Structures are given as C-alpha cells and as structure tokens.
Amino acid sequence: MTQQVLYCNDVDATLNNIIGGGNYNAVMVLVDSNTCKLVLPQLPCLSNAHIIEIAPGDENKNLDSLVHVWQLMHNAGATRKSLLVNVGGGSITDLGGLAAATFKRGIAFINLPTTVLGAVDAAVGGKTGINFNGLKNEIGVFAPASTVIVSTCFLNTLPHRELKSGFAEMIKHAMLSSQKQLFKLLDFDLSNIDYEKLLEMLKSSVKIKENIVAQDPTEQGLRKALNLGHTVGHAIESLAMEHGKPVPHGYAVAWGLVAEAVISHLTLGFPSDDLYGLARFMRENYGAPSITCYHYDRLITLMQHDKKSRDGEINCTLLNKCGDFTIDNTIAPDTMKNALDILRDLLGV
Ligand code: GLY
C-alpha cells in the first residue's frame, strides 16, 4: 500500500503540479456544500474540473451518495486515466475513496482533508467506506489515495470545536508513540493556535499512524492499536446520541482516552504522572461528559456491542506506558465501572 503524504500550505500549487504531471483525461472534484463554498474558490487549479457535490455530514456518507458520485463520474466520461480529488472531512474522503476505488475497478484519487480529524485519521491509511443499514463504515475497501495533501490553511473555515475534536486523535497517536510526544501535545495552546507548529504536529501525528498502518494495512492485529480510547469513546458518543445531545466524535475520544488510561494504570501500571497530565488537559479543553453512575450499565452494554467486541466482552487497547501498547484486552465490567468512577473524578463531573 503506497501513499504519498505531502505537507504544505501552498495547496493550489501542489495540486496543480500533481495534476499537470499526471496526464489525466478528466479531473473530477468531490466536495460537500461547505467545502464547495469555502475551499473550492481557493483552488483555481480545479476550475476546469467536473464538480461533484453532495450534502455535508456523516449521514450522507451512504449508498445514495455513492451512486450519485458514480453517476457523475460516468457523465464526465471518466476512464481509468481519470482522477478524483476529494476535498473535505472524513465523510468526503471515505466516500470519494470508495467511489474511486470501485469505478472501472479503480481510478486514482487524491485526498485533500480540510479538517484535523480528516488529516490525521480518515484521509491517511487506505480505509474507505460508507454507512449501511444503520452501521458505520459497513461497506468499504482498503484503497490508499495516491497522494494526501495535509495543510492547515483550510482549518479556519471550521468551528473551533472541530479543530479540538481532531486534536484528540492526535493525542491518541502521541500516546501510542512516546511520553515525549504526548507532553509536546499537552503543551500546545488550543485557545491560541500557532498554525505553523500545528502543521509540524500534524506531520508527526500522520507519521505515527503511517508507521502502524505500514505494519498491518488491513487491520489483522497491530492496527487495532489505533482504537485506543475508542471503546469507551464510542459508548459515550452513542449514549449522548441516545439522549438527543450529540457530542463531537473527538470529544468522546478525549474522554475515552482518559478512561482507558485509567484502566491501563489500574491493570498495567501506566504512569500516574502521564494519566494526571492527560486528564488535566482533557478537562481544561473538552470539559466532561454528562454521565452518572446510573448510565454505567448502558455504557457497558454499548461497549459489549462494539465492533471490536468478541463474544460480548469489552475489548480495549491498553498501554503499559506511552509507546508500549497491547491490543485485544478483555475488561471485566467491574473494572470498567471502577474506571468510569475515576474518570468522573478526574474530569470533575
Ligand atoms: N481510524 C483507525 C484506522 O484508520 O485504523
């Protein structure tokens, strides 16, 4: 699986070079109505491209949108020598990647993520997909973009909480890498963004993911490490949704990372300094989830039904210390309840 990742802030020139050197017979660009309005005008090199627009949001990452993209690629006369440029967040790069990977058995595509979450997670690593039958990413293939262009120049088109949401995934990568990397991120001032520094951090973050994906591109084992924080995070996210008070994915991941660091501390001796540093940063930047002990049973049921769960048991990635992880750990419900108590104490619920 080869995928070139470029880091730059002159996106139009970079894209122009790639398109100019590719000898494509048609160039198409997939956008949602937000990136169509806010990002496309900043990319004059795409002014002659066929525009394919879909409605924004994960709920539109579905079969109807996929058919729409296929249809417009067909109408544009796309062949195997054509190129699709995906401009948007994770929903766009997931959907566009799948559309390109399946059209005429596969055409080249470029991912231009416009969110932090997209840049450090969805756009890199070759996962593509759509939601189906109420299940997230139920249909998809592993297919890397030929190039991913990572930049910070479109991040100010988004609400600040979107940026924070993606930063939580960067913290996850740092925890999987080293204590030094974690402390570097915990030192970053999210209330006054230094975009140059952020681009450097995005670079390190993507490299951590690339390194894991290179060893296990199709998630047979090691890649599951990237689920750190997500067992508890997904359960909190689903509970919030059930209560009609959705929370951004990255906020739920931020709380999930603290909860799973607590379990790592209780069961594997993950250092308390790292746990407290992490918890303080998350409390200050992401607040706390609305959970009480009355929600524990529901949260545990949700965790037992998580995609990663086998035989109805709670499955988590845990850390001996930053950079030293173990996958496929089974967590007893009582240990999880204990961790949720400590999580609420640490976050001041
Ligand atoms: N989002 C986790 C992965 O790419 O494996």
Side-chain angles (χ1 to χ4, degrees):
M1 185 182 295
T2 50
Q3 179 166 71
Q4 168 181 235
V5 185
L6 301 175
Y7 303 87
C8 66
N9 275 328
D10 193 350
V11 178
D12 189 58
T14 306
L15 201 47
N16 198 32
N17 272 343
I18 300 172
I19 294 173
N23 198 23
Y24 299 108
N25 66 353
V27 176
M28 296 147 297
V29 54
L30 176 64
V31 283
D32 63 26
S33 39
N34 294 324
T35 54
C36 187
K37 193 169 65 195
L38 300 169
V39 179
L40 213 45
Q42 300 183 54
L43 300 172
C45 72
L46 292 174
S47 53
N48 290 325
H50 300 269
I51 296 174
I52 306 176
E53 182 180 333
I54 61 159
D58 198 61
E59 64 279 17
N60 291 303
K61 196 178 89 176
N62 58 25
L63 192 55
D64 288 344
S65 299
L66 181 63
V67 171
H68 179 69
V69 180
W70 280 331
Q71 185 63 57
L72 291 198
M73 291 205 287
H74 171 87
N75 295 355
T79 70
R80 283 221 186 123
K81 291 294 293 170
S82 303
L83 173 75
L84 178 68
V85 184
N86 298 315
V87 180
S91 305
I92 287 288
T93 55
D94 279 2
L95 170 74
L98 179 57
T102 47
F103 190 80
K104 295 196 189 283
R105 298 203 176 92
I107 67 166
F109 66 100
I110 293 175
N111 284 341
L112 174 47
T114 55
T115 64
V116 173
L117 196 55
V120 294
D121 195 17
V124 180
K127 283 187 179 175
T128 71
I130 54 166
N131 306 328
F132 185 68
N133 270 350
L135 297 169
K136 283 187 68 124
N137 301 322
E138 183 69 351
I139 309 288
V141 296
F142 287 99
S146 51
T147 303
V148 182
I149 303 176
V150 174
S151 165
T152 53
C153 49
F154 305 120
L155 301 180
N156 59 3
T157 61
L158 292 161
H160 188 54
R161 66 183 206 155
E162 283 300 325
L163 192 146
K164 288 207 285 186
S165 194
F167 200 79
E169 294 282 354
M170 292 171 65
I171 291 180
K172 176 194 80 179
H173 288 166
M175 292 170 77
L176 293 171
S177 171
S178 67
Q179 187 196 49
K180 188 171 164 217
Q181 197 64 31
L182 174 65
F183 284 0
K184 201 189 268 182
L185 265 72
L186 298 185
D187 257 352
F188 191 66
D189 185 356
L190 276 174
S191 59
N192 181 23
I193 304 290
D194 175 340
Y195 283 97
E196 223 169 280
K197 212 166 169 186
L198 181 61
L199 187 62
E200 279 311 305
M201 289 175 154
L202 284 170
K203 202 173 191 169
S204 325
S205 195
V206 171
K207 282 192 193 313
I208 294 165
K209 175 163 181 179
E210 278 186 293
N211 183 29
I212 292 174
V213 172
Q215 297 173 66
D216 178 20
T218 56
E219 200 167 297
Q220 303 304 308
L222 186 77
R223 186 168 178 166
K224 293 184 196 169
L226 295 169
N227 292 321
L228 181 69
H230 283 64
T231 299
V232 176
H234 277 153
I236 294 176
E237 194 178 2
S238 301
L239 185 78
M241 191 82 85
E242 284 177 8
H243 290 173
K245 292 183 181 151
V247 293
H249 174 70
Y251 282 52
V253 169
W255 300 321
L257 286 171
V258 179
E260 294 180 22
V262 169
I263 301 170
S264 297
H265 175 69
L266 295 175
T267 60
L268 300 174
F270 180 78
S272 47
D273 281 358
D274 296 5
L275 171 60
Y276 289 132
L278 177 74
R280 189 180 328 110
F281 185 87
M282 297 313 199
R283 187 178 61 239
E284 286 170 6
N285 290 287
Y286 301 87
S290 295
I291 53 173
T292 72
C293 54
Y294 298 109
H295 298 123
Y296 289 1
D297 285 338
R298 181 63 191 146
L299 285 168
I300 283 169
T301 303
L302 286 164
M303 291 179 213
Q304 288 166 335
H305 287 90
D306 191 276
K307 246 191 210 136
K308 301 176 288 299
S309 158
R310 286 177 309 193
D311 308 322
E313 301 200 285
I314 302 171
N315 179 298
C316 284
T317 294
L318 296 179
L319 296 165
N320 293 302
K321 59 182 181 154
C322 287
D324 180 3
F325 52 81
T326 88
I327 58 169
D328 279 337
N329 300 280
T330 298
I331 313 299
D334 281 349
T335 306
M336 183 55 75
K337 286 184 184 174
N338 199 2
L340 291 171
D341 274 341
I342 299 172
L343 171 76
R344 288 172 51 227
D345 278 349
L346 288 171
L347 296 179
V349 181

